[in-house]
């Protein structure tokens, strides 16, 4: 091929064999036979977040990608996307017409990595524990429709739901529903540090320096029993300070593959690499979104007209083209364009950027201009282009003459707790879906116990529209309710969507399985990776 870029279709499960490769040394640096994967995700234990890898606490794509390798769930998202399929369970399903009673039967012979048998009681313990701890990360809210968990014998688990929830199978495929050993995880207390003991495809050996996980070594779990085919005996995840250092490690052969987060310049360079290069770039569908969040109780943005004026001024197309190029697309809703139920609600309301329209909004609300604001962003979580993105947002808003904006960047370990506590009036965040359904782009931001700690409440959304949408097992039938939610969000602007991105993997070309190492929800699937031969 002329370019070393492999572009995958939206449903990658339709591909024939995994894209295998041609070349490379096969050593992956000092990892021996381990396949070594680089990431810029940082994993820190702090006073505010002492238990980053506890399934009852973890709620970001980086920590979930550690747990996906090690903690088994009843269901799992299939290789080629679609409805969740049994994993620790032998079978699962609703047993009533109202989608309020869900039953799973465990596989026979399930064991934790240490050899202890897994029973239905362990599943109940794990779910009840996450709900009881109610961690301030907000991850427990994924299980909020559960009323009670019942067991029958050692293998049957029955979930009684408070209300119909057609998305419940997806929620059981997320790490918060992971099965943990009661001997290792206290019922009412988070497990501090970086130890993980469960029943997933790998066990974890964590290398920690200064309360930060710098290398995670995953070793194939001999007691694993599930649906996954594990194509390697060992894999490593190494954390780098930035994309530049990670890229150097790939060039030097110290790592075999890099995932998030590569810089736009790196992606462009790899995409244009000449034939014969020993590095391949794989482009695949992505469901990541970026948005501005608002503390709607804060005096600076409490008035809806201020938030609406920002929505009217910001030029998403210019933002994307100048910072991310063809690696992202403007987004006019919280729900990405490829998800059933998407509506261009913000474009429908605001149309093209207009300073004149924004000025009218502020004048009618008697808002004195320029409105002084600080936009907060994280410097080390979403990639090196985030700073450039916020500099451009600042420029767009200030050039309107309606705003006097400053920007402030903060490390994720400080940024995230501060955002959750409501210390920022306006802040930039990203969202990688827990599962690929419109509900997961709406409820986590708008429902009770939402993930960003937003004080915004809309009773119609919470009391009627979200429950209505969840009653529809056929998600096309839920579009009316989902569209109404998006229309309300565009008017009230508790959050302001900016763009949705593609995702990329760069690998040395003796690595196989790169077509499947990430799914559309950015779930890292290390078990897919193997070694090929130079061709």
């Amino acid at each position: 091929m002329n370019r070393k870029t492999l572009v995958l279709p939206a449903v990658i499960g339709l591909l024939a064999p995994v894209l295998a490769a041609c070349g490379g040394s096969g050593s992956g640096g000092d990892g021996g036979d381990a396949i070594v994967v680089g990431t810029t995700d940082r994993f820190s234990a702090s006073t505010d977040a002492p238990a980053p890898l506890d399934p009852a606490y973890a709620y970001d794509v980086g920590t979930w990608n550690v747990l996906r390798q090690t903690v088994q769930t009843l269901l799992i998202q299939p290789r080629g996307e679609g409805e969740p399929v049994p994993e620790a369970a032998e079978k699962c399903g609703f047993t009533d017409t109202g989608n309020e009673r869900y039953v799973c039967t465990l596989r026979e012979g399930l064991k934790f990595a240490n050899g202890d048998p897994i029973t239905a009681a362990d599943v109940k313990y794990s779910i009840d524990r996450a709900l009881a701890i109610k961690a301030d990360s907000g991850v427990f809210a994924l299980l909020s429709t559960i009323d009670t968990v019942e067991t029958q014998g050692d293998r049957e688990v029955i979930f009684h739901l408070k209300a119909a929830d057609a998305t419940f199978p997806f929620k059981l495929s997320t790490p918060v529903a992971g099965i943990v050993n009661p001997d290792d995880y206290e019922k009412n207390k988070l497990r501090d540090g970086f130890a993980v003991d469960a029943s997933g495809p790998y066990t974890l050996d964590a290398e920690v320096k200064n309360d930060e996980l710098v290398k995670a070594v995953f070793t194939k779990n001999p007691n694993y029993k599930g649906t996954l085919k594990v194509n390697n005996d060992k894999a490593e995840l190494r954390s780098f300070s930035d994309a530049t250092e990670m890229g150097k490690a790939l060039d030097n052969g110290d790592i075999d593959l890099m995932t998030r987060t590569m810089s736009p310049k790196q992606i462009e360079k790899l995409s244009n690499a000449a034939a014969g290069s020993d590095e391949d770039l794989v482009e695949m569908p992505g469901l990541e979104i970026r948005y501005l969040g608002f503390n709607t109780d804060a005096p600076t943005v409490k008035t809806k007209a201020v938030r609406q004026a920002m929505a009217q001024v910001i030029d998403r197309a210019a933002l994307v083209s100048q910072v991310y190029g063809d690696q992202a697309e403007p987004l006019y809703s919280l729900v990405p364009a490829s998800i059933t139920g998407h509506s261009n609600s913000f474009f429908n309301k605001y149309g093209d950027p207009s300073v004149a329209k924004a000025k009218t909004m502020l004048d009618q609300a008697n808002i004195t201009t320029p409105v002084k604001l600080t936009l907060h962003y994280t410097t080390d979580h979403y990639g090196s282009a985030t700073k450039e993105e916020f500099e451009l947002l600042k420029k767009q808003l200030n050039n309107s003459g309606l705003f006097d904006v400053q920007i402030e960047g903060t490390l994720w370990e400080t940024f995230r707790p501060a955002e959750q506590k409501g210390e920022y009036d306006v802040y930039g965040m990203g969202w990688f879906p827990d599962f690929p359904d419109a509900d997961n782009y709406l409820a986590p931001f708008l429902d009770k116990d939402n993930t960003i700690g937003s004080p915004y409440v809309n009773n119609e959304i919470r009391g009627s529209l979200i429950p209505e949408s969840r009653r529809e097992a056929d998600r096309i039938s839920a579009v009316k309710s989902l569209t109404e939610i998006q229309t309300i969000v565009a008017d009230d602007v508790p959050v302001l969507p900016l763009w949705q991105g593609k995702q990329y993997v760069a690998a040395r070309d003796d690595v196989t399985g790169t077509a499947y190492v990430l799914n559309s929800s950015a779930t890292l699937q290390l078990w897919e990776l193997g070694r090929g031969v130079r061709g």
Side-chain angles (χ1 to χ4, degrees):
M1 63 183 69
N2 293 327
R3 292 197 314 158
K4 296 291 287 182
T5 306
L6 309 173
V7 183
L8 305 185
V11 185
I12 60 175
L14 298 179
L15 289 177
V18 178
L19 292 175
C22 349
S25 65
S27 69
D30 61 7
D33 292 331
I35 295 176
V36 186
V37 177
T39 180
T40 58
D41 284 323
R42 310 303 293 271
F43 310 94
S44 300
S46 64
T47 302
D48 288 323
L53 294 184
D54 191 318
Y57 177 84
Y59 201 18
D60 66 74
V61 67
T63 52
W64 268 23
N65 277 339
V66 174
L67 295 178
R68 298 277 192 186
Q69 321 309 313
T70 52
V71 177
Q72 197 173 20
T73 48
L74 291 169
L75 299 166
I76 195 169
Q77 293 180 40
R79 193 187 208 194
E81 310 300 326
E83 297 291 319
V85 297
E87 166 57 357
E90 179 181 278
K91 60 180 180 179
C92 289
F94 285 105
T95 61
D96 65 333
T97 57
N99 291 342
E100 294 182 7
R101 186 178 188 271
Y102 195 79
V103 180
C104 290
T105 302
L106 297 181
R107 296 180 184 276
E108 290 190 31
L110 280 179
K111 295 179 181 179
F112 289 109
N114 67 359
D116 290 349
I118 296 174
T119 67
D122 297 317
V123 178
K124 173 178 168 58
Y125 178 92
S126 302
I127 299 292
D128 286 346
R129 175 178 180 269
L131 287 168
I133 289 175
K134 204 173 182 178
D136 60 11
S137 66
V139 69
F140 70 92
L142 280 171
L143 306 175
S144 63
T145 54
I146 294 175
D147 186 15
T148 58
V149 184
E150 176 188 353
T151 63
Q152 289 189 1
D154 285 340
R155 294 179 56 210
E156 190 166 273
V157 186
I158 303 167
F159 298 93
H160 299 280
L161 305 185
K162 300 173 185 176
D165 187 0
T167 67
F168 187 66
F170 281 105
K171 294 170 182 177
L172 288 183
S173 72
T174 63
V176 68
I179 307 167
V180 298
N181 193 331
D183 291 343
D184 298 314
Y185 294 82
E186 294 183 40
K187 184 176 182 179
N188 295 306
K189 183 179 181 298
L190 291 172
R191 184 179 183 179
D192 293 353
F194 297 95
V196 180
D197 294 286
S199 58
Y202 296 98
T203 59
L204 170 67
D205 182 17
E207 182 179 313
V208 179
K209 293 181 181 178
N210 300 321
D211 293 324
E212 186 168 340
L213 176 65
V214 294
K215 181 167 69 175
V217 180
F218 300 99
T219 303
K220 189 175 180 179
N221 175 12
N223 286 319
Y224 168 70
K225 188 172 185 179
T227 60
L228 301 175
K229 179 184 177 183
V230 183
N231 293 316
N232 57 73
D233 291 329
K234 185 176 287 189
E236 286 183 17
L237 188 65
R238 293 188 191 173
S239 182
F240 290 87
S241 58
D242 55 46
T244 300
E245 290 303 311
M246 181 170 63
K248 289 178 181 177
L250 182 69
D251 292 341
N252 294 336
D254 296 327
I255 62 175
D256 298 295
L257 181 147
M258 60 181 183
T259 55
R260 30 184 328 243
T261 302
M262 288 181 274
S263 70
K265 290 181 180 179
Q266 284 178 319
I267 293 168
E268 183 179 4
K269 177 184 175 182
L270 287 162
S271 178
N272 294 326
S277 167
D278 62 358
E279 296 173 0
D280 287 335
L281 179 70
V282 184
E283 175 189 314
M284 54 191 69
L287 296 175
E288 170 192 8
I289 69 169
R290 297 286 176 85
Y291 63 93
L292 292 179
F294 297 96
N295 177 357
T296 53
D297 281 348
T300 57
V301 292
K302 186 173 185 177
T303 303
K304 179 169 69 173
V306 174
R307 307 192 300 269
Q308 290 179 325
M310 292 178 68
Q312 186 67 72
V313 167
I314 290 174
D315 188 338
R316 295 169 177 80
L319 183 71
V320 167
S321 65
Q322 293 180 41
V323 180
Y324 296 100
D326 60 3
Q327 299 155 28
E329 298 175 354
L331 181 63
Y332 297 94
S333 170
L334 279 174
V335 180
S338 54
I339 295 289
T340 299
H342 164 80
S343 169
N344 281 321
S345 55
F346 275 79
F347 189 83
N348 295 340
K349 181 168 179 63
Y350 301 100
D352 293 326
S354 170
V355 173
K357 289 181 180 179
K359 184 178 186 305
T360 299
M361 293 172 180
L362 294 172
D363 287 345
Q364 289 177 346
N366 296 316
I367 300 296
T368 302
T369 58
V371 179
K372 292 187 176 182
L373 295 173
T374 299
L375 273 54
H376 295 265
Y377 67 95
T378 174
T379 57
D380 63 336
H381 195 68
Y382 297 120
S384 58
T386 306
K387 181 179 180 182
E388 185 180 352
E389 176 183 348
F390 272 75
E391 287 173 342
L392 187 52
L393 285 170
K394 172 185 173 180
K395 182 179 180 181
Q396 288 185 359
L397 290 166
N398 287 349
N399 283 353
S400 73
L402 303 175
F403 295 92
D404 180 3
V405 168
Q406 301 297 320
I407 60 174
E408 184 174 321
T410 309
L411 292 173
W412 178 253
E413 64 181 280
T414 302
F415 174 90
R416 180 60 168 144
E419 176 274 314
Q420 289 175 308
K421 293 174 183 176
E423 295 177 11
Y424 302 148
D425 294 4
V426 190
Y427 51 90
M429 291 277 284
W431 181 251
F432 296 83
D434 308 319
F435 50 89
D437 186 276
D439 178 86
N440 194 241
Y441 289 91
L442 299 172
F445 305 99
L446 306 170
D447 212 349
K448 183 182 178 183
D449 299 318
N450 59 79
T451 185
I452 55 176
S454 173
Y456 171 77
V457 177
N458 182 285
N459 291 326
E460 185 180 4
I461 290 176
R462 290 189 182 183
S464 299
L465 295 175
I466 289 177
E468 282 176 14
S469 71
R470 287 174 173 170
R471 282 196 286 270
E472 303 294 345
D474 179 356
R475 302 310 284 160
I476 293 177
S477 299
V479 167
K480 182 176 182 294
S481 300
L482 296 169
T483 300
E484 289 182 28
I485 294 172
Q486 292 166 81
T487 299
I488 293 171
V489 169
D491 185 58
D492 287 352
V493 201
V495 289
L496 176 53
L498 298 172
W499 57 267
Q500 71 179 87
K502 301 173 185 177
Q503 57 183 356
Y504 299 84
V505 168
R508 301 188 68 79
D509 61 4
D510 68 325
V511 178
T512 64
T514 54
Y516 298 103
V517 70
L518 290 178
N519 68 13
S520 64
S521 299
T523 297
L524 186 61
Q525 302 174 140
L526 292 178
W527 53 85
E528 296 284 358
L529 298 176
R531 295 284 186 195
V533 294
R534 174 167 289 179

